[in-house]
Amino acid sequence: MDIEQLFSSETRLLSLNRVVQQLLSEFACADPDLLRIARILCQDQALSAKVLRLANSAHFAGARQMDSVKDAAILLGLDNLKMLVICSAVQQRYSHVPHMDLPRFWRQNLSCAHMADALARESGQDPARARIGGLLHSIGQLFIHQQLPKQAQQIVARTAQGQVRAQVERELLGFDYGEVGAELARRWQFPEELVILTQHHIRPLLAPEPYRGLATVVGLARWRIDHDPQAPLLEWPNEELASLGLQPQHLQSLRTEPQTA
């Protein structure tokens, strides 16, 4: 099987609702209009509620309660709105996935976003772009589990024994979750940068410029999730670290859980 066959077997999962499609088109504009984005958000009750909930969270909340989607959108800004919309679209499409612990999946991706942000700040990359790459880097796993549940069960069993997931996938399927996630992001018309980060975080030094630095940041964050820095005989990703001017100590010092505001 190749990736094209994998995707041709099911088209229903590739559709996004109209509001999300409109928002993605607006985000892709050279000069996105926050007021227009707020008007589009108001057409979707669930998305509007999420925007208001985030704006009133401890991280963003000011002296008064936000009850206007327009004011909340202005407070959050484009980067946070884009992250919220894209993540909501993915979560909506994958609310039940065979052989996948979804709460653990999203906890890991949130940790990856948090650590990618920290590494981006240390290496001169854009933290906001690193966060969204970290949060969505492994969406291909969701598609594999949804479409190929029997093979996914084998992948889970072998990774539980310590094998590297991407290597197991290439052996069993002929492709890995990064390639699948990139194709999914491309078909959903996510930003091109997100397509590249999703595909190349597994082998970030092969990413095209100018995305190589961000892909390396996300790849290192994922490496940190999958490895215990105190483990004996650990092989550090020294080439990737050196490409950003970082040392193993930068990975050792990362907190794997986001700090609460």
Side-chain angles (χ1 to χ4, degrees):
M1 175 182 291
D2 58 25
I3 287 182
E4 190 63 34
Q5 291 174 312
L6 176 66
F7 277 83
S8 65
S9 64
E10 176 60 88
T11 58
R12 181 179 58 84
L13 296 175
L14 300 182
S15 60
L16 296 175
N17 72 47
R18 178 181 56 83
V19 170
V20 170
Q21 290 174 338
Q22 290 179 335
L23 288 167
L24 290 175
S25 295
E26 189 64 34
F27 288 136
C29 292
D31 187 19
D33 185 339
L34 264 176
L35 295 182
R36 174 168 166 75
I37 288 170
R39 288 196 296 270
I40 297 172
L41 282 167
C42 288
Q43 299 174 31
D44 188 302
Q45 190 174 22
L47 271 177
S48 296
K50 288 183 178 182
V51 168
L52 288 170
R53 188 160 57 246
L54 181 59
N56 286 299
S57 67
H59 185 71
F60 290 99
R64 65 184 180 87
Q65 182 81 3
M66 283 280 176
D67 55 12
S68 160
V69 172
K70 181 184 76 172
D71 291 343
I74 292 171
L75 173 67
L76 295 176
L78 285 170
D79 287 332
N80 287 309
L81 286 172
K82 184 189 299 184
M83 185 183 302
L84 185 150
V85 167
I86 292 176
C87 288
S88 295
V90 174
Q91 290 175 327
Q92 182 184 44
R93 280 286 166 251
Y94 295 103
S95 56
H96 302 285
V97 180
H99 312 299
M100 173 71 76
D101 181 344
L102 284 175
R104 181 174 181 269
F105 173 87
W106 287 112
R107 282 196 305 272
Q108 286 190 336
N109 281 30
L110 185 61
S111 292
C112 189
H114 163 72
M115 291 189 286
D117 179 300
L119 289 170
R121 294 175 191 276
E122 290 282 352
S123 59
Q125 301 296 320
D126 186 317
R129 293 158 66 196
R131 280 197 304 276
I132 192 167
L135 196 57
L136 294 165
H137 71 283
S138 58
I139 58 174
Q141 295 180 16
L142 299 173
F143 195 81
I144 289 173
H145 280 243
Q146 190 76 63
Q147 297 300 102
L148 303 171
K150 290 183 179 179
Q151 293 91 327
Q153 191 171 24
Q154 296 178 54
I155 292 167
V156 170
R158 290 175 58 173
T159 54
Q161 297 171 356
Q163 298 183 50
V164 177
R165 180 177 180 117
Q167 293 177 359
V168 173
E169 289 171 342
R170 286 193 290 272
E171 179 183 329
L172 292 178
L173 308 176
F175 45 77
D176 60 48
Y177 73 85
E179 296 170 273
V180 174
E183 184 62 23
L184 181 61
R186 187 178 296 110
R187 292 180 183 230
W188 272 356
Q189 298 182 327
F190 284 176
E192 180 64 18
E193 178 176 274
L194 186 53
V195 174
I196 292 172
L197 296 185
T198 302
Q199 178 172 354
H200 288 284
H201 74 276
I202 297 172
R203 295 176 294 280
L205 298 182
L206 298 179
E209 290 288 3
Y211 304 111
R212 191 169 300 151
L214 278 173
T216 304
V217 160
V218 174
L220 288 171
R222 181 71 226 191
W223 184 95
R224 178 62 180 83
I225 288 172
D226 293 335
H227 295 82
D228 177 3
Q230 307 304 321
L233 304 177
L234 183 64
E235 292 187 14
W236 292 89
N238 291 314
E239 189 175 0
E240 288 82 358
L241 286 165
S243 73
L244 295 175
L246 300 176
Q247 301 291 331
Q249 290 81 357
H250 289 99
L251 289 179
Q252 286 178 310
S253 64
L254 287 175
R255 296 171 61 94
T256 56
E257 294 295 334
Q259 299 182 32
T260 55

